[in-house]
């Protein structure tokens, strides 16, 4: 899976950008705040329909503009796809997604068209932080290869929110919960029965990959890094009835808190190094290696279950790794299209073997210059220029039609 074209309009601090990236490693370096991470954010939007760092889409729109868009052309093993996310905060429909220039109704219709893994310094919190960060990591991975899982996850969350609303309303007015709470508990249970076994299956594959990658990256054959899935549901084969029973048993306590205290939204990944809790016993270097190993293992799992390598986004992580880990990281991603941002060219031993761009800000807008075209496979000719900015591009993602703008 390779990105062959990126197009941005009024996205973050890019007023207009067309980029045809290298099929291998692409380096983006420059000062902090110049716009390097914004490019990775645009790719993430086109893969998963949302940002990896903000919850409010309007923050991704260039100051003073009403609409922003980011478009990606991706070439898969069997087919090509054009993806676009259009952000329009001032409209009734604030976010519109297009697949091959056709507006889609559900995010699940874009899932898997572009698979990506992103690793940033904040991901160290995935190892030492709370369970929600690890669940998010797991859910994003599975959703990219299993749209049915993504749908079940959405339906579970909607049902849980409705149950929580009934709990809070009952707490305020007194009495007993509305009979509709049983319907929402049934919906939670039915979707939990889809979520739980798929999480367990994927975590098994993830842990095996993590174990091997950790040893290669750390160079420590005696260190055993493992991941296991911990759930409040003990019987996956009878998850529906068990979940209903737990929700009924917890209802009185949940009425006091106004929140659902049992279910997959409370589960966690347990990370151990030589059978000890990583959060409690690992050194800073071991935590960095664990986080990196989880991301590289995620890359392998997506490749296994999706049939081809996803795109890898590395956001300013080279400064977090010593030279030994940087070298092993680059060895692990030899066959993967990768986008790397960094501020210091010395973070890489030989940046000239890759394609590199200098990113800078001028009058509040991001600009790029191609520093080195890099080495292309002989089957892919290098056009001149391969990178260009233009106000009159020959094509865009997609043409804006009156019927699409609501």
């Amino acid at each position: 899976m390779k990105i062959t074209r990126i197009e941005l309009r009024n996205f973050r601090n890019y007023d207009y950008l067309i980029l045809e990236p290298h099929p291998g490693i692409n380096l983006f370096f420059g000062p902090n705040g110049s716009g390097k991470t914004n490019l990775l954010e645009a790719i993430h939007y086109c893969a998963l329909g949302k940002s990896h760092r903000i919850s409010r889409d309007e923050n991704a729109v260039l100051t003073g503009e009403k609409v922003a868009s980011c478009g990606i052309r991706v070439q898969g093993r069997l087919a090509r796809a054009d993806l676009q996310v259009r952000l329009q905060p001032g409209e009734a429909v604030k976010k519109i997604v297009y697949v091959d220039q056709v507006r889609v109704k559900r995010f699940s219709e874009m899932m898997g068209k572009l698979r990506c893994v992103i690793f940033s310094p904040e991901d160290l919190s995935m190892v030492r932080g709370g369970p929600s960060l690890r669940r998010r990591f797991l859910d994003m991975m599975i959703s990219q290869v299993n749209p049915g899982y993504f749908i079940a996850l959405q339906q579970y969350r909607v049902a849980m929110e409705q149950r929580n609303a009934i709990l809070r309303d009952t707490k305020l007015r007194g009495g007993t919960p509305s009979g509709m709470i049983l319907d929402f508990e049934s919906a939670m249970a039915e979707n939990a029965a889809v979520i739980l076994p798929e999480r367990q299956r994927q975590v098994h594959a993830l842990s095996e990959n993590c174990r091997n990658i950790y040893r290669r990256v750390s160079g420590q054959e005696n260190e055993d890094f493992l991941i296991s899935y911990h759930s409040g549901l003990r019987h996956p084969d009878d998850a529906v009835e068990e979940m209903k029973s737990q929700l009924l048993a917890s209802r009185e306590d949940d009425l006091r808190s106004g929140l659902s205290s049992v279910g997959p939204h409370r589960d966690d990944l347990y990370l151990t190094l030589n059978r000890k809790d990583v959060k409690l016993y690992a050194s800073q270097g071991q935590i960095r290696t664990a986080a990196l190993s989880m991301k590289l293992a995620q890359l392998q799992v997506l490749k296994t279950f999706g049939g081809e390598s996803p795109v890898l986004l590395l956001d300013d992580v080279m400064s977090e790794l010593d030279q030994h880990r940087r070298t092993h990281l680059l060895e692990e991603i030899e066959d993967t299209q990768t986008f790397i941002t960094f501020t210091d060219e010395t973070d890489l031993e030989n940046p000239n073997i890759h394609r590199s761009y200098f990113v800078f800000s001028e009058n509040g807008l991001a600009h790029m210059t191609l520093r080195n075209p890099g080495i292309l496979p002989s089957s892919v000719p290098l056009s001149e220029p391969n990178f260009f900015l233009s106000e009159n591009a020959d094509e865009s993602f997609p043409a804006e039609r009156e019927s699409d703008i609501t």
Side-chain angles (χ1 to χ4, degrees):
M1 184 170 286
K2 311 289 184 185
I3 294 173
T4 61
R5 181 181 173 96
I6 301 171
E7 182 173 333
L8 308 182
R9 292 181 178 178
N10 299 328
F11 185 86
R12 287 290 192 172
N13 64 338
Y14 289 92
D15 58 346
Y16 196 78
L17 169 70
I18 294 178
L19 175 65
E20 294 180 343
H22 192 289
I25 295 179
N26 298 269
L27 308 175
F28 300 87
F29 69 95
N32 289 326
S34 56
K36 304 183 300 296
T37 298
N38 297 342
L39 185 68
L40 305 192
E41 183 180 27
I43 296 173
H44 197 276
Y45 259 110
C46 292
L48 291 158
K50 59 182 179 181
S51 168
H52 68 287
R53 56 179 179 160
I54 59 170
S55 57
R56 297 174 63 86
D57 292 326
E58 56 263 38
N59 293 334
V61 180
L62 180 65
T63 302
E65 300 294 337
K66 295 181 179 180
V67 179
S69 67
C70 46
I72 298 289
R73 176 164 292 165
V74 57
Q75 181 64 54
R77 182 168 52 88
L78 300 176
R80 190 188 82 179
D82 287 348
L83 310 169
Q84 186 195 33
V85 176
R86 179 183 172 93
L87 306 173
Q88 40 189 38
E91 302 294 330
V93 179
K94 299 185 183 302
K95 181 158 54 182
I96 302 175
V97 175
Y98 301 88
V99 176
D100 292 329
Q101 303 195 25
V102 176
R103 180 175 170 179
V104 299
K105 296 180 179 179
R106 300 176 182 87
F107 284 120
S108 58
E109 296 180 59
M110 76 180 299
M111 285 295 171
K113 302 292 185 183
L114 169 61
R115 301 186 188 102
C116 78
V117 173
I118 187 164
F119 184 37
S120 64
E122 292 77 17
D123 286 317
L124 295 176
S125 299
M126 177 178 62
V127 175
R128 58 194 177 198
S132 63
L133 298 172
R134 290 182 287 279
R135 286 195 301 270
R136 183 173 183 268
F137 160 78
L138 186 60
D139 289 338
M140 288 174 62
M141 180 182 78
I142 301 174
S143 294
Q144 293 189 71
V145 291
N146 188 340
Y149 175 89
F150 178 73
I151 292 170
L153 198 63
Q154 286 186 312
Q155 292 176 342
Y156 177 88
R157 287 171 177 166
V158 169
M160 182 179 67
E161 288 169 2
Q162 294 296 327
R163 181 180 188 265
N164 291 347
I166 291 175
L167 293 171
R168 290 191 293 269
D169 180 65
T170 304
K171 182 180 179 180
L172 286 173
R173 64 177 173 78
T176 58
S178 160
M180 289 184 66
I181 197 169
L182 292 174
D183 296 328
F184 296 126
E185 289 177 351
S186 293
M188 288 175 68
E190 289 165 6
N191 286 291
V194 176
I195 295 167
L196 178 61
E198 188 62 11
R199 281 182 175 177
Q200 291 177 326
R201 183 172 77 105
Q202 298 268 12
V203 168
H204 177 74
L206 186 72
S207 185
E208 285 301 307
N209 279 284
C210 264
R211 182 186 223 171
N212 297 327
I213 291 171
Y214 185 97
R215 286 175 173 172
R216 289 199 299 271
V217 172
S218 68
Q220 302 295 322
E221 287 295 325
N222 62 330
E223 293 190 352
D224 200 24
F225 177 54
L226 294 175
I227 302 175
S228 58
Y229 184 67
H230 282 228
S231 174
L233 297 174
R234 304 299 182 186
H235 308 287
D237 295 336
D238 195 25
V240 173
E241 292 306 316
E242 185 183 7
M243 179 74 177
K244 286 181 180 178
S245 177
Q246 287 190 11
L247 287 168
L248 177 61
S250 68
R251 197 181 292 168
E252 187 174 337
D253 289 337
D254 293 350
L255 277 168
R256 285 192 285 270
S257 67
L259 296 172
S260 299
S261 60
V262 298
H265 65 286
R266 305 282 293 182
D267 294 350
D268 195 6
L269 294 179
Y270 189 41
L271 314 180
T272 61
L273 188 61
N274 293 337
R275 299 185 179 182
K276 293 183 178 180
D277 189 335
V278 171
K279 289 193 294 183
L280 299 178
Y281 295 100
S283 67
Q284 197 64 21
Q286 288 171 326
I287 287 175
R288 288 192 178 96
T289 303
L292 176 60
S293 299
M294 289 175 71
K295 288 294 182 172
L296 292 176
Q298 182 185 26
L299 197 73
Q300 291 300 317
V301 170
L302 288 176
K303 182 178 180 179
T304 299
F305 287 96
E308 55 188 324
S309 293
V311 172
L312 178 62
L313 314 176
L314 299 175
D315 187 16
D316 198 25
V317 296
M318 290 303 181
S319 60
E320 297 288 329
L321 305 174
D322 58 30
Q323 190 58 55
H324 173 79
R325 289 177 175 83
R326 291 176 202 165
T327 300
H328 279 278
L329 168 59
L330 293 176
E331 289 174 355
E332 293 283 342
I333 62 175
E334 283 181 336
D335 62 345
T336 302
Q337 187 183 38
T338 306
F339 296 77
I340 304 176
T341 69
F342 58 104
T343 55
D344 189 349
E345 286 186 271
T346 62
D347 284 343
L348 291 177
E349 280 187 322
N350 186 9
N352 292 325
I353 65 172
H354 313 294
R355 179 174 296 171
S356 58
Y357 304 88
F358 178 62
V359 185
F360 61 98
S361 178
E362 191 173 275
N363 298 323
L365 298 177
H367 300 274
M368 287 188 193
T369 57
L370 177 61
R371 286 286 295 267
N372 183 2
I375 300 173
L376 284 169
S378 58
S379 60
V380 183
L382 176 62
S383 59
E384 292 291 346
N386 200 69
F387 165 81
F388 59 93
L389 288 169
S390 171
E391 293 182 357
N392 298 299
D394 294 331
E395 58 183 324
S396 61
F397 296 97
E400 294 171 0
R401 302 184 296 272
E402 284 292 333
S403 58
D404 292 330
I405 304 172
T406 58

